[in-house]
Amino acid sequence: MTASTQTSKAPRWTSPGLRLLVGSECASLSGSAVSAVAIPTLAVLELHASTTQIAALAFLGQLPNAVVALPAGALSDRSPKRPQMICADVTAAVALVTIPAVAVGDMLTIGQLYAVAVVLGIAKNVHGSASISYLPVLVEPHLLQRANSRLGAASSVADSAGSNLGAALIGTVGAARSVIVDVLSYLVSAFLVWRIRTPEPTAPRPQGRRSLARDIREGLHYVAGQPTIRTVIAALSTLSFGLAIMNTYWAYYLLAVLKVTPAAFGLIMGVGGAGSLAGALFAPKIASRIGIGPTIIVGFAVSPLAQVPLLLAGPGLRWQTTLALVLAVQLFWATASGTSQRSLRQTLCDPRFQGRMQAASTTVTAGARPLAAAAAGALVLYLGVRTTLTVGALFQLVPVALLLLSPVRTMRDMPAPPRRTALPSTREGSS
């Protein structure tokens, strides 16, 4: 039995709860995009941070993804999700408002930015784990693909708008005051989540006291026992590793080696963002046309192929145009594939493990990036930038092989969700 990827005649995309969730995600994401521009600007231009301090700020911002994701996922599975999302948003707003508050008295320090980065990272993990596992509560399984598509498209627009707004605000009111926009965005997000009235299924009360560590172990055991889910997560982590090797020197390669001007660099990124938006919008139609499995695999396969023009490129407008178009194609398929694989994992996952399943994916995917950055730094000392980029591109072939050897290869329709069992099943869809 399968659940068709086609949408029903009366989709619940128009449900108030789903609209409010999308509005919440867009509000917080657009505000975060402003802070993503403003906080580094504060560190570099106003606090005159060293390169080591800038690296530490970036590291601390990413650290919660590897450390907090698993506990946050377990928490989202054992407790109601809406209060967690609201508390996380309010916590993020309180942390951020300290920046303009102390900047007025010229007392801002790099240490405070470190602390804010850590708190923000924790809050985002708690909100993200609860949010992504709350989506299947708001829509039926066969509509997850459509809902994820609309959510991805709206997020792409919000992220792009936030980045442009951040750059404009910094030039007019300054970097510290610009952060107030992010504060307001988190409060708006919390208010919209508070307005959601869709009830959550009541989780069964466990016998005796259960530690968070036990819930985490149980979630990891569940994910390890699901062949398709664990293969997709493994493919995501290896793709992330290969891309992170390249991303470590991607901007440097374009700006320093290929002599791309900052304006052209921004244009290349803008064209790529348009491709990402299109991929989110067309993901359901692509999946219904060629199948959910092929959509996922093509998205992974396009990534290493898209690196070939980059490795062959030289200075000049013709190559810059080529790189912009190739990036748009790459991000189109990456977003379509990402929307599809996320919907697939949500559909196959037992509702009791949604948060922990996503947390496992976040942990291994985000955890691969610092290791890849370190590997790239070592490789470039011996092989040079172009060869290091080539190694990153070749590594992206590994996830394609993993998916071709998995059940994903033969999937055309979205599988039926598994029936709920008394204990975690060891095989997908078993009862």
Side-chain angles (χ1 to χ4, degrees):
M1 180 179 178
T2 60
S4 173
T5 55
Q6 297 285 353
T7 58
S8 64
K9 292 183 179 179
R12 286 183 56 193
W13 166 248
T14 57
S15 69
L18 187 54
R19 290 202 303 270
L20 289 169
L21 180 65
V22 172
S24 165
E25 295 300 303
C26 288
S28 62
L29 186 59
S30 59
S32 295
V34 173
S35 288
V37 178
I39 291 178
T41 301
L42 276 170
V44 174
L45 298 183
E46 298 192 19
L47 299 180
H48 307 291
S50 66
T51 54
T52 301
Q53 290 173 324
I54 294 297
L57 182 62
F59 173 78
L60 290 172
Q62 290 293 327
L63 184 61
N65 292 330
V67 177
V68 182
L70 287 176
L75 184 65
S76 72
D77 283 337
R78 66 156 54 180
S79 305
K81 299 170 180 57
R82 283 178 59 248
Q84 295 179 49
M85 295 162 67
I86 294 171
C87 289
D89 285 340
V90 173
T91 300
V94 171
L96 282 165
V97 80
T98 64
I99 294 177
V102 302
V104 172
D106 198 26
M107 295 185 295
L108 185 64
T109 65
I110 191 67
Q112 182 177 344
L113 293 186
Y114 289 161
V116 171
V118 172
V119 173
L120 275 181
I122 294 172
K124 287 179 180 179
N125 269 277
V126 172
H127 179 102
S129 293
S131 174
I132 199 167
S133 55
Y134 193 40
L135 183 62
V137 175
L138 300 177
V139 297
E140 292 86 353
H142 68 283
L143 292 175
L144 276 172
Q145 174 82 352
R146 178 183 175 89
N148 274 312
S149 171
R150 295 300 187 269
L151 185 60
S155 298
S156 295
V157 173
D159 185 50
S160 177
S163 297
N164 293 328
L165 177 62
L169 285 172
I170 290 171
T172 55
V173 302
R177 291 194 180 102
S178 298
V179 175
I180 296 175
V181 172
D182 200 8
V183 175
L184 295 176
S185 77
Y186 277 111
L187 295 178
V188 170
S189 174
F191 173 72
L192 293 176
V193 173
W194 174 77
R195 288 190 59 201
I196 298 176
R197 295 294 180 260
T198 305
E200 298 182 44
T202 303
R205 186 178 298 275
Q207 297 180 351
R209 296 188 63 182
R210 292 173 60 93
S211 67
L212 203 62
R214 179 178 175 181
D215 284 350
I216 291 172
R217 289 195 301 270
E218 188 178 84
L220 293 174
H221 177 74
Y222 174 82
V223 171
Q226 307 301 304
T228 301
I229 292 177
R230 72 166 183 255
T231 300
V232 172
I233 291 177
L236 284 170
S237 64
T238 50
L239 178 65
S240 178
F241 189 88
L243 285 172
I245 288 177
M246 300 195 70
N247 289 341
T248 302
Y249 293 105
W250 186 75
Y252 171 84
Y253 183 72
L254 264 66
L255 295 170
V257 178
L258 300 184
K259 307 300 181 183
V260 174
T261 65
F265 182 78
L267 184 59
I268 290 172
M269 296 295 293
V271 173
S276 178
L277 173 60
L281 290 173
F282 287 99
K285 292 183 178 180
I286 295 172
S288 66
R289 179 70 62 87
I290 68 175
I292 188 75
T295 300
I296 294 171
I297 293 174
V298 169
F300 278 80
V302 165
S303 186
L305 293 175
Q307 312 309 329
V308 176
L310 175 69
L311 298 172
L312 297 177
L317 179 61
R318 180 178 300 178
W319 277 114
Q320 292 173 16
T321 303
T322 300
L323 293 178
L325 295 176
V326 169
L327 181 62
V329 172
Q330 178 188 357
L331 294 183
F332 174 92
W333 280 104
T335 307
S337 174
T339 298
S340 299
Q341 60 84 12
R342 188 180 305 112
S343 302
L344 176 63
R345 288 188 288 118
Q346 288 172 329
T347 300
L348 288 174
C349 186
D350 188 304
R352 295 169 296 174
F353 294 92
Q354 286 283 352
R356 282 168 284 181
M357 179 273 293
Q358 180 58 34
S361 176
T362 299
T363 300
V364 297
T365 302
R369 293 170 190 157
L371 296 176
L379 287 171
V380 79
L381 293 176
Y382 298 99
L383 303 177
V385 175
R386 191 186 295 265
T387 305
T388 298
L389 294 176
T390 303
V391 171
L394 291 174
F395 203 91
Q396 293 172 49
L397 295 172
V398 176
V400 180
L402 290 175
L403 291 172
L404 288 174
L405 295 173
S406 76
V408 175
R409 178 174 56 86
T410 58
M411 288 184 179
R412 293 298 179 268
D413 296 325
M414 189 71 75
R419 286 179 299 206
R420 189 160 170 164
T421 58
L423 293 171
S425 60
T426 56
R427 298 186 61 175
E428 288 167 352
S430 63
S431 57

